Amino acid sequence: MDNFINIHFSDGTEKEIPKNTSCLELAKEKQSAFKYDIIAAKIDNRLVELNTKVVASCHIEFLDLSTHEGNEVYVRGLKYLFIKAVKEVMGYTIGIRIEHSLDKGIYCEILDNINEEVVNSIENKMRELVTANIAFERITVTRKDAIDYFKQINRPDKVGTLNFITQTNVTLYRFD
């Protein structure tokens, strides 16, 4: 029995599963009960990615766009997707400012001259990236490596923030 664990789901059901089953595998079984795609999970009330492996008996709650946390995960992903598309279309040195939410949108500013053709190219690139179904990957790096990376891509704001962090390692997300 050491290779199996008990899961209690937020819908009141329980299941015995093999250790190291991913939340994604479990989410596929529960998806039909949700209006929107499941995009994250909470294990014992801690937000985790769907590729997280379940290693001990726990309580799991799945999140979709109808939940506050699920919506926040979705919005962060959209911002990342937008930045990736802009940089692929306009070059990796282009400046982008994501300011604040505006009604049901997000105010973003590209720090260069753009026209309708560029906007269409960015939109097409975003659609292409979504269609490619590329996963966001959580990585842990040393604080020094993170500082070196953000210096390399000319992000002094991130370098400044990381200079005040005392942790040895930091978590970053990679997309493609």
Side-chain angles (χ1 to χ4, degrees):
M1 278 296 237
D2 289 335
N3 292 328
F4 288 88
I5 54 178
N6 291 312
I7 304 301
H8 301 272
F9 295 100
S10 57
D11 64 3
T13 61
E14 297 180 21
K15 184 174 184 178
E16 185 177 72
I17 64 166
K19 269 187 185 177
N20 295 312
T21 300
S22 74
C23 287
L24 180 60
E25 293 173 65
L26 298 171
K28 288 177 182 175
E29 296 174 19
K30 296 288 186 178
Q31 181 60 61
S32 63
F34 288 80
K35 181 177 179 181
Y36 303 104
D37 288 343
I38 295 172
I39 58 174
K42 287 170 103 176
I43 296 179
D44 291 336
N45 214 28
R46 185 176 59 87
L47 188 64
V48 297
E49 297 88 3
L50 290 178
N51 63 358
T52 301
K53 305 281 188 197
V54 185
V55 297
S57 294
C58 61
H59 177 269
I60 295 181
E61 176 184 359
F62 291 112
L63 307 172
D64 69 358
L65 291 179
S66 67
T67 65
H68 176 73
E69 293 105 328
N71 195 55
E72 288 292 316
V73 168
Y74 182 75
V75 168
R76 284 193 298 272
L78 282 178
K79 291 175 184 178
Y80 206 117
L81 180 70
F82 173 72
I83 292 167
K84 172 82 170 153
V86 169
K87 291 192 175 282
E88 285 198 11
V89 168
M90 299 184 72
Y92 283 85
T93 59
I94 196 74
I96 303 165
R97 230 184 261 143
I98 297 181
E99 294 287 340
H100 48 78
S101 59
L102 189 63
D103 191 26
K104 293 188 182 197
I106 302 165
Y107 179 78
C108 303
E109 195 172 343
I110 297 172
L111 306 177
D112 198 0
N113 293 326
I114 61 171
N115 56 36
E116 192 172 337
E117 183 180 329
V118 172
V119 171
N120 290 336
S121 294
I122 292 168
E123 180 182 357
N124 290 336
K125 179 52 78 173
M126 288 178 74
R127 291 181 190 284
E128 178 185 316
L129 291 168
V130 168
T131 301
N133 201 26
I134 302 164
F136 290 90
E137 179 186 0
R138 181 182 180 152
I139 58 172
T140 302
V141 299
T142 66
R143 186 175 63 89
K144 182 190 177 317
D145 286 345
I147 289 170
D148 291 345
Y149 170 74
F150 286 116
K151 281 181 182 175
Q152 177 187 349
I153 64 168
N154 194 27
R155 290 295 308 268
D157 56 323
K158 299 281 188 188
V159 172
T161 301
L162 287 167
N163 280 326
F164 291 102
I165 292 175
T166 58
Q167 293 135 319
T168 305
N169 296 311
V170 295
T171 299
L172 302 176
Y173 286 86
R174 179 175 24 216
F175 178 66
D176 194 27

